[in-house]
Amino acid sequence: MKSILVSILILPALVSFSQKKKQLDHPDFAIWNQVMNSQLSNDGLWVSYELVPGEGDRTLVLYDVKNASERHFLRAQKSKFTDDNRYAVFTITPPEDSLKALRRRKVDKEKLTPDTLAILNLSTGIVDKIPDLEGVSVPERWSGYLAYQVKPAVKNEEIEKEEEKEEGEKEKEKLEEVEKAEEERKAEEKKEKKKKSPSKKNGYPLIVRNLMTQSEDTLHFVTDYTLSKYGTVLAAYSTGSDSTMKAGVFVYDCDQSDWNVIKTQKGTYKNLVWNEKGDQLAFIADLDTTKAQVRPYELHRWKPGMDSALVFVQNNAPFMSEGWQISEYYKLRFSEDGTKLHFGVAPEPIVEDTTLLEEEKVSVEVWHYQDAQLYTQQNIRSKAEKERTYHCVADLSNGAFRQVANEHLRDSRMDREGNSPYVILNDETPYLRESSWTGETRRDVWLFDIPGNRHSLIARDVEGVPQLSPEFNFMYWYNAPDSAWIVSTVKGELKNVTQSIPMYDELNDVPAHPGSYGMAGWTTGDKALLIYDRYDIWKVDPTNQSSPINLTNGRANKLRYRYVRLDPDERKIDPAKPILLHMFNETTKGGGYVELDLKSGQLRQILAGDFKYDSSPLKARDAEVIVYTTESFQQFPDLQLTTDRFMSSRRVSDANPQQKNYKWGTIELFSWTAYDGQQLQGLLVKPEGFDPAKKYPLIVNFYDRSSDELYTHLAPFPHRSTINYTFYASRGYVIFNPDVPYKIGYPGESAFNAVVSGTETLMNAGFIDQQKVALQGHSWGGYQIAHILTKTGIYACAEAGAVVVNMTSAYGGIRWETGLSRMFQYEHQQSRIGGSLWEKRDLYLENSPLFNLDKISTPVLIMQNDSDGHVPWYQGIEFFSAMRRLGKPAWLLNYNGEPHWPLKLQNRKDFNLRMQQFFDHYLMNAPMPKWMRDGVPAVEKGILQGYELIERK
């Protein structure tokens, strides 16, 4: 009885507090923060992160782990800790309002107020600020110095006006002094005009700063520079100033505190690159003084002790294909061990006839039916093809040069460190033409032996991406047609190492080979691969001499385990050490972390709960400090910090304390039986203070499968294509997101089977207003909505974006973002027809809503943008024009110049407001906005938006 009395006494207070809460509104999107760019110092004693609001200036937060205190820096970003943990370096941007004011006055981008460099001493708390920043570099694995560039100071208009006013007052008192100063200024200005000024083209001053002494050394007119990873050196190219400093490449040795010139010649220098130790430098240079259209680049190399950099490789060297030359576009790279230099060559480019007048040039596209790629693809890739380079390698230990790639074997893949004596080469050309309609990327795989200067064919017709094992003993890939992992020795002996276990996507429901679940990596010595199935991690013998071993045994309980790589530089997994795994419970949708002892096979649960746990936590390099997030529908993913492997933790960030002042909502799993008898799941969001005796409006939003995201936090945000669940729940809506399993050949029917059956089950649950139910979805979701509306009239309204209504006209179209034909996605991918238009004509017609739009009785809001590179925007026109012709209520939103969805903030805000007004009108009995009643005529576009609500008479 006592507990009942307590509940009665507390309840009114809770109700009162709930009533004081606000519902979310559009302006609230601006105040909600994201946590971005989290960093940990190497010793784990400092955390930095940025609070980024929906609109306005961001804030950098530096958290002191030892003292559990923090400092805030307004408008600061891009923080980086020095390798010795003594300093935090970041930039401070001008106020967003000030920049907007300058842009309104059409101020040139180069004249906008620049950033400020900030250097924070973490022990003293003192911040040094350096204005007019162009850019900054912090050494990766050494300390004590940083390099930055500054540009000429820019004064904005307000400051200039204020200074003019002050000058005017002084002029009255000291006219003679001002006139004298002005004459001197003009004389100095005339003198300076003869000198080169700093600019983006000429270069800006590069300053090397000693962080301990604050002393600085400057090199002027620098256009490019680079720091070594481990060696305390940097290199820079200066265009030179005058006779006192010639153009060339300079090296700064921090131990000697001095700039040394290693190449003094005017020209074009590119791709300055150090090896990791900082005792070798390479770069590309064009030192030719003629105006030749084909520029004669050369590869240069320098080492300490050399007076100057020497030409290392010239054009038409003996190892190159005849007529080939050094490419300016290849990103030079030393191998990690410093024994190899990787560079690129290319055939002499096609030269345009510059003597032709514009009216003499022919502009025609010649499309050939036997072209390996559609002309549209060629157009998209034309720049990349003009800049295509072919991999070469120099063995610095013996002076041998090798051309690895050629016109037949164009695409090469190295190991991550560039140390391997082998390079993988792919030849996709035999399969390119048919990939237009299959959507498959297939290739013949070759291996190049660098020491032996030999190409070897490994396998033909591979649908996978071969890679080298860490110790270079094997090549491996997932081969989709076999639904298995393939391992090859470098001699070309192929083995299917997973044929006895299902390593393929078990939920695949598209008419294509199922993909893989990926892998954790290799153990040391190339002894084993750790490969994922749907739930578990398997230890697989690359020689196939022993059977795969299940290390986690999660399938029985539907527990999914995945490896957490805490060291970003790790290349192989040490089986002698326990490893951290991320765990996901497929039944409850919760998760956690476990530890796996690879030696004993023992699993130890560390942390578990009804939350979504960070799958990529951040660990300090030199300390057992980990930063991670946990989240749920109600809980924002604030940063958590643990120093004892998740046994305990503390919250580091508090990004959105204002959330407690708003009505939010709850989320749960909802199950039902589909029309075909399948047991399905979906997400059900209910408003805060949900009362099952009341009747609520319902929005059904879906794509394919979403129930695994039960514990994902959905912060208020003006989304580009979908409703914001928390926003609508706060305003009294129920939201339903059903999972949709698909039957190949019948995507529309599959959507109807899942979505409508789930909707009707909810409508009969007693708390849904059956006259106030809507659909909302985008792209694939938009297509399914259009199909469903031709089959049922139970929905009061629908918003559908980037809709395909006519598979027959869309089938032969182009995905303009990539230049690809759209055929493959209908035959083999998301649209799931399973054959060509000529093979499955009836299915294309059956699954095209256009031919049944006369059966729609539901008002529809369509969003279809004219620069959509995925879905042809004329599909939206077909939809809208048909609805208009049939006299059915329909509105089309076209955000000019936007792609598959609106990206610009102002357009996202507009879309979210119009969509809310649309749903409120049909589901909440709100007045119709003017734009829905009258439209927005072309003469009013961008001027009058028509948001005003029209009260009913």
Side-chain angles (χ1 to χ4, degrees):
M1 180 63 70
K2 184 177 179 181
S3 62
I4 294 174
L5 179 61
V6 171
S7 298
I8 292 172
L9 290 173
I10 290 176
L11 185 59
L14 292 175
V15 172
S16 176
F17 179 71
S18 179
Q19 288 173 344
K20 291 179 181 177
K21 287 188 176 183
K22 299 178 288 186
Q23 69 177 18
L24 288 164
D25 204 351
H26 294 276
D28 297 315
F29 291 150
I31 65 172
W32 237 265
N33 286 307
Q34 297 181 67
V35 174
M36 300 180 68
N37 302 325
S38 304
Q39 303 279 330
L40 254 176
S41 60
N42 292 330
D43 59 8
L45 295 180
W46 292 90
V47 183
S48 72
Y49 61 91
E50 294 169 24
L51 292 176
V52 183
E55 294 182 59
D57 297 312
R58 65 183 65 201
T59 298
L60 174 69
V61 182
L62 282 170
Y63 180 82
D64 183 336
V65 175
K66 185 176 181 180
N67 298 310
S69 61
E70 59 186 34
R71 289 187 65 178
H72 290 231
F73 298 89
L74 185 62
R75 305 190 314 279
Q77 60 182 335
K78 301 178 183 176
S79 172
K80 186 169 183 180
F81 295 105
T82 56
D83 191 61
D84 60 5
N85 312 295
R86 293 185 177 186
Y87 300 89
V89 180
F90 49 92
T91 59
I92 301 174
T93 62
E96 183 63 26
D97 289 346
S98 299
L99 291 176
K100 283 184 177 179
L102 293 173
R103 289 196 291 267
R104 283 192 183 96
R105 292 199 299 274
K106 312 298 182 186
V107 173
D108 185 84
K109 185 178 179 181
E110 285 296 310
K111 295 182 180 179
L112 294 177
T113 310
D115 294 344
T116 294
L117 173 62
I119 305 169
L120 170 65
N121 187 314
L122 294 171
S123 60
T124 66
I126 297 173
V127 181
D128 286 334
K129 294 182 180 180
I130 301 168
D132 305 317
L133 180 69
E134 169 64 17
V136 60
S137 295
V138 178
E140 188 175 345
R141 289 297 182 95
W142 49 284
S143 302
Y145 295 82
L146 61 79
Y148 67 94
Q149 284 186 283
V150 293
K151 57 174 126 181
V154 176
K155 295 181 180 180
N156 65 41
E157 195 172 308
E158 285 83 1
I159 295 175
E160 288 177 343
K161 286 181 178 179
E162 188 63 31
E163 289 179 349
E164 287 175 6
K165 182 178 179 181
E166 292 176 0
E167 285 296 321
E169 293 173 353
K170 292 178 181 179
E171 188 176 358
K172 295 177 182 178
E173 301 175 359
K174 301 181 179 180
L175 184 58
E176 292 182 359
E177 293 177 347
V178 171
E179 288 177 348
K180 183 179 179 181
E182 181 66 11
E183 290 176 2
E184 292 176 353
R185 186 189 67 78
K186 287 181 178 180
E188 186 65 27
E189 187 178 86
K190 188 175 181 181
K191 182 180 179 181
E192 286 297 321
K193 280 183 178 178
K194 295 180 180 180
K195 295 183 178 180
K196 185 164 58 175
S197 300
S199 66
K200 189 172 184 178
K201 180 181 178 181
N202 295 331
Y204 297 110
L206 174 64
I207 302 162
V208 182
R209 183 183 180 92
N210 185 316
L211 294 174
M212 296 294 290
T213 66
Q214 299 188 17
S215 61
E216 296 183 334
D217 286 312
T218 302
L219 181 68
H220 292 278
F221 301 105
V222 170
T223 58
D224 186 24
Y225 72 98
T226 183
L227 281 65
S228 168
K229 183 175 181 178
Y230 289 99
T232 57
V233 290
L234 64 150
Y237 168 62
S238 170
T239 61
S241 56
D242 51 29
S243 58
T244 61
M245 189 183 85
K246 295 181 179 179
V249 178
F250 295 76
V251 167
Y252 188 86
D253 186 332
C254 294
D255 295 332
Q256 302 297 323
S257 299
D258 193 21
W259 287 103
N260 296 302
V261 60
I262 64 166
K263 191 71 179 180
T264 53
Q265 193 169 348
K266 191 172 182 179
T268 301
Y269 293 81
K270 295 185 175 183
N271 250 322
L272 295 169
V273 62
W274 289 100
N275 68 340
E276 291 206 345
K277 291 182 180 179
D279 58 9
Q280 296 186 76
L281 177 72
F283 54 89
I284 299 290
D286 168 19
L287 307 178
D288 187 69
T289 57
T290 70
K291 295 183 178 181
Q293 282 186 276
V294 179
R295 303 309 303 169
Y297 283 95
E298 297 174 322
L299 175 60
H300 294 247
R301 181 180 175 222
W302 176 84
K303 297 178 69 175
M306 296 172 59
D307 291 335
S308 63
L310 300 177
V311 175
F312 189 54
V313 182
Q314 291 179 313
N315 292 330
N316 298 310
F319 68 90
M320 293 184 198
S321 299
E322 186 176 352
W324 285 37
Q325 58 188 37
I326 297 294
S327 171
E328 62 178 297
Y329 299 111
Y330 191 93
K331 188 174 181 180
L332 298 180
R333 178 185 175 191
F334 283 97
S335 61
E336 187 182 58
D337 60 14
T339 64
K340 300 177 183 66
L341 174 59
H342 299 274
F343 60 100
V345 297
E348 188 172 303
I350 300 171
V351 177
E352 183 180 359
D353 185 351
T354 57
T355 64
L356 290 176
L357 298 173
E358 198 62 36
E359 62 265 29
E360 296 176 317
K361 295 179 182 178
V362 176
S363 181
V364 60
E365 297 177 354
V366 179
W367 295 34
H368 194 287
Y369 76 105
Q370 291 289 0
D371 282 344
Q373 291 181 313
L374 280 169
Y375 200 92
T376 48
Q377 288 177 266
Q378 296 177 44
N379 257 342
I380 295 292
R381 293 192 49 78
S382 61
K383 183 176 185 295
E385 285 300 321
K386 288 176 182 177
E387 297 177 358
R388 177 178 284 278
T389 62
Y390 298 81
H391 183 189
C392 292
V393 59
D395 188 327
L396 303 177
S397 63
N398 59 22
F401 293 89
R402 306 286 188 244
Q403 182 173 332
V404 178
N406 55 49
E407 287 182 296
H408 302 290
L409 300 173
R410 307 193 308 171
D411 301 310
S412 65
R413 176 182 289 270
M414 291 184 286
D415 62 300
R416 188 166 176 176
E417 298 84 5
N419 293 334
S420 173
Y422 305 104
V423 179
I424 297 172
L425 291 152
N426 298 313
D427 181 13
E428 298 178 1
T429 52
Y431 316 100
L432 280 177
R433 185 169 172 271
E434 64 190 67
S435 69
S436 291
W437 54 85
T438 65
E440 299 170 349
T441 302
R442 294 154 59 201
R443 52 180 63 86
D444 295 337
V445 180
W446 295 70
L447 193 69
F448 182 77
D449 179 337
I450 297 175
N453 195 23
R454 182 175 61 254
H455 291 90
S456 301
L457 176 66
I458 300 298
R460 292 195 185 277
D461 198 8
V462 170
E463 190 179 336
V465 183
Q467 299 181 67
L468 286 165
S469 61
E471 303 289 340
F472 323 131
N473 295 304
F474 303 99
M475 294 171 61
Y476 65 99
W477 64 91
Y478 174 82
N479 202 48
D482 299 321
S483 298
W485 285 86
I486 305 298
V487 172
S488 167
T489 64
V490 294
K491 295 180 181 180
E493 301 166 1
L494 274 64
K495 299 179 185 297
N496 181 333
V497 296
T498 60
Q499 57 187 345
S500 60
I501 47 179
M503 294 294 192
Y504 54 85
D505 179 4
E506 297 176 23
L507 299 178
N508 178 63
D509 58 8
V510 299
H513 300 126
S516 77
Y517 290 101
M519 63 181 292
W522 287 77
T523 61
T524 52
D526 284 354
K527 296 296 184 184
L529 301 89
L530 302 184
I531 302 178
Y532 302 134
D533 71 4
R534 179 175 175 181
Y535 299 101
D536 292 306
I537 303 175
W538 292 76
K539 181 181 178 181
V540 177
D541 178 4
T543 67
N544 220 18
Q545 294 179 2
S546 58
S547 299
I549 300 171
N550 191 330
L551 299 175
T552 49
N553 296 302
R555 181 175 290 270
N557 297 312
K558 294 189 175 181
L559 299 178
R560 183 191 308 158
Y561 296 101
R562 297 294 183 257
Y563 176 54
V564 177
R565 182 169 282 103
L566 293 173
D567 179 3
D569 294 328
E570 178 190 83
R571 299 294 180 267
K572 44 204 171 187
I573 298 170
D574 185 352
K577 299 177 181 178
I579 61 174
L580 183 67
L581 304 181
H582 180 272
M583 182 266 290
F584 176 77
N585 188 317
E586 206 174 81
T587 302
T588 68
K589 314 301 183 185
Y593 298 110
V594 300
E595 193 172 72
L596 171 64
D597 188 322
L598 289 170
K599 292 171 64 178
S600 67
Q602 294 297 308
L603 274 176
R604 181 175 69 88
Q605 183 170 293
I606 299 174
L607 194 63
D610 291 335
F611 296 96
K612 181 177 181 178
Y613 288 83
D614 192 345
S615 60
S616 302
L618 182 67
K619 182 186 176 297
R621 191 183 73 196
D622 304 323
E624 287 300 318
V625 178
I626 295 174
V627 169
Y628 67 105
T629 63
T630 62
E631 63 183 286
S632 69
F633 186 78
Q634 288 87 5
Q635 179 177 303
F636 181 86
D638 275 306
L639 300 180
Q640 308 282 334
L641 183 141
T642 178
T643 58
D644 53 13
R645 209 71 165 181
F646 304 99
M647 298 302 292
S648 64
S649 65
R650 58 173 127 153
R651 189 169 72 174
V652 171
S653 66
D654 187 11
N656 294 297
Q658 77 279 5
Q659 181 178 318
K660 63 181 179 296
N661 301 322
Y662 289 86
K663 296 177 183 178
W664 203 254
T666 61
I667 195 168
E668 62 193 65
L669 287 175
F670 181 79
S671 301
W672 74 99
T673 303
Y675 296 138
D676 65 357
Q678 289 189 77
Q679 295 298 307
L680 301 181
Q681 280 187 324
L683 301 176
L684 184 62
V685 178
K686 296 176 179 177
E688 187 169 310
F690 173 78
D691 182 352
K694 291 184 178 180
K695 301 291 186 182
Y696 293 88
L698 172 67
I699 299 177
V700 183
N701 163 270
F702 66 99
Y703 192 79
D704 45 29
R705 289 185 175 95
S706 301
S707 61
D708 282 357
E709 300 303 316
L710 177 66
Y711 293 110
T712 297
H713 184 81
L714 301 169
F717 171 72
H719 203 280
R720 60 193 185 183
S721 63
T722 188
I723 60 171
N724 183 275
Y725 287 14
T726 49
F727 177 84
Y728 280 89
S730 180
R731 303 176 73 86
Y733 285 89
V734 171
I735 300 106
F736 175 47
N737 186 326
D739 285 349
V740 183
Y742 297 95
K743 180 181 177 183
I744 292 173
Y746 302 91
E749 179 185 306
S750 300
F752 181 88
N753 172 64
V755 176
V756 181
S757 64
T759 302
E760 289 189 334
T761 303
L762 261 179
M763 291 169 67
N764 294 326
F767 54 84
I768 298 299
D769 184 337
Q770 297 190 8
Q771 305 305 312
K772 306 294 183 184
V773 181
L775 289 170
Q776 195 277 323
H778 191 82
S779 193
W780 180 237
Y783 156 72
Q784 294 172 91
I785 286 172
H787 181 90
I788 288 170
L789 294 181
T790 66
K791 304 299 181 183
T792 179
I794 67 172
Y795 298 99
C797 64
E799 190 281 327
V803 187
V804 168
V805 291
N806 185 356
M807 288 193 179
T808 65
S809 61
Y811 173 79
I814 296 294
R815 294 175 69 96
W816 293 107
E817 193 169 280
T818 59
L820 293 169
S821 165
R822 296 178 55 81
M823 293 179 180
F824 70 91
Q825 72 185 70
Y826 295 96
E827 296 183 30
H828 300 288
Q829 294 189 0
Q830 192 174 56
S831 297
R832 296 172 169 89
I833 299 300
S836 73
L837 179 62
W838 307 278
E839 296 167 326
K840 307 276 187 179
R841 181 182 294 109
D842 290 345
L843 288 180
Y844 279 87
L845 294 172
E846 178 183 330
N847 286 283
S848 295
L850 179 73
F851 303 108
N852 293 294
L853 292 184
D854 58 321
K855 298 180 177 64
I856 290 182
S857 59
T858 304
V860 183
L861 175 63
I862 306 163
M863 178 177 64
Q864 207 99 8
N865 300 331
D866 54 20
S867 290
D868 193 329
H870 298 291
V871 171
W873 96 284
Y874 52 77
Q875 287 289 314
I877 295 173
E878 288 194 51
F879 192 6
F880 176 78
S881 297
M883 293 288 285
R884 181 174 180 269
R885 168 69 176 81
L886 294 165
K888 299 178 182 295
W891 296 261
L892 173 65
L893 304 177
N894 170 26
Y895 292 98
N896 298 139
E898 291 277 38
H900 194 49
W901 32 53
L903 297 179
K904 296 175 182 176
L905 177 60
Q906 66 271 28
N907 291 338
R908 287 191 283 114
K909 289 166 66 176
D910 179 88
F911 169 62
N912 277 261
L913 177 55
R914 293 188 195 277
M915 184 163 56
Q916 180 233 316
Q917 290 184 331
F918 176 77
F919 285 136
D920 279 1
H921 174 67
Y922 285 108
L923 306 183
M924 289 282 197
N925 297 318
M928 180 179 278
K930 189 175 184 299
W931 66 269
M932 285 181 65
R933 189 190 70 176
D934 304 331
V936 179
V939 294
E940 297 178 7
K941 173 187 168 185
I943 304 170
L944 302 176
Q945 306 302 336
Y947 298 144
E948 314 86 66
L949 300 180
I950 309 300
E951 295 294 338
R952 293 184 176 90
K953 295 182 180 179

